[in-house]
Amino acid sequence: MLDKLEKIEKEALKTLASVKDKANLEKWRLAKIGRHSPMMNMFSQMASLSKEERPAFGQGINRLKALLEKEFEDRRAHIKQAELEESLASEKLDISLPGRPVKMGRLHPSTQNLRRVLGILAEMGFQVYTARDVESDEYNFQLLNIPPHHPAREMQDTFYIDTGNNDESEKQVLRTHTSPGQVRAMREFSSQNPDNPPPIRIALPGMCYRFEQITARSEVQFNQVEGLVLGQTITFGDLKGTLSEFARRMFGSHVKTRFRSDHFPFTEPSAEMDIECYVCGGKGCSVCKKSGWLEILGCGMVHPSVLANGGYDPARYSGFAFGMGPERQLMLRHKISDIRYFWGNDIRFLEQF
Ligand code: DAH
């Protein structure tokens, strides 16, 4: 009987040594220490032994059971460790592999140009003043000398906002230009010191909206940058000097400028500033339509009644204002033939800037 136990032990330990994975370990467990294993069958044979033989056999089989169970646990721990090591080895990162390139976004070309314009104006002492996109009819038109039936309104077809209030001054619009910000700024500054309002030198950037048929040349939205300079001794000479210097910083130090008289309701006198065409150097080409000049901005001396609307006494204060379009400048510079590209969100267009 004890020989049998020894045989079972030898055989069980030998097969266990060759078990390399969990599935085979489970098979081994069922076969060697499971309920129907030869070892367990030995227990039932105890009854047939004589009283003298029983103790030795009992000790032997209990020792065998404890041994095989311990060997089983050791083997299980060993397999677990081996599997862990194998998975760590196979999942190891190769940190020498080059990374995947990250796609970088960029600023919209309009934003880029807007920042460039504002950067130049900032160097020249202008501070940025932002006004609202939704304006009252009063600020967008009336305080700028554009009364309800003024012909200038025809140039600016307007998006009106339905507020249910039809009182002319209370009507709300999407601003058609950044000029209403002039009066907002003047009123804010003059209210701080009504008897002696401070001088002003501000740039007003922002989106403007017009109720236009969308074509290659006109869009329903576009940016403008407005400028306003007010003080007690500001002249048309300051306007010309400041805007010519701006043009040199923006378009190149040798660029020539010229001022043509024009009309805007909120300035008097008014002008347009042209720069010599930088594509053909003034000889005439398709970009400047053979004229040799490119129209860059509208400007003028702030109209006395606009000054008064802002709380600045026109007898003591004077100033100039100007307005330009960053998208228009980009179109000229890059020969962009269709303004719709700006808000079309076509990545092939945007990626070029
Ligand atoms: N507000 C004008 C427009 O949208 C542009 C403009 C012209 C602004 C002359 C000015 C100015 O400040 O002085 O067409």
Side-chain angles (χ1 to χ4, degrees), residues 45-60:
Q45 292 179 24
M46 274 252 253
S48 64
L49 291 179
S50 70
K51 243 186 178 173
E52 293 70 37
E53 284 172 313
R54 263 185 224 170
F57 180 76
Q59 270 178 16

Side-chain angles (χ1 to χ4, degrees), residues 108-124:
H108 189 279
S110 289
T111 308
Q112 289 180 29
N113 198 43
L114 201 59
R115 291 194 180 179
R116 173 134 190 269
V117 169
L118 292 175
I120 292 171
L121 289 173
E123 282 168 14
M124 295 174 70

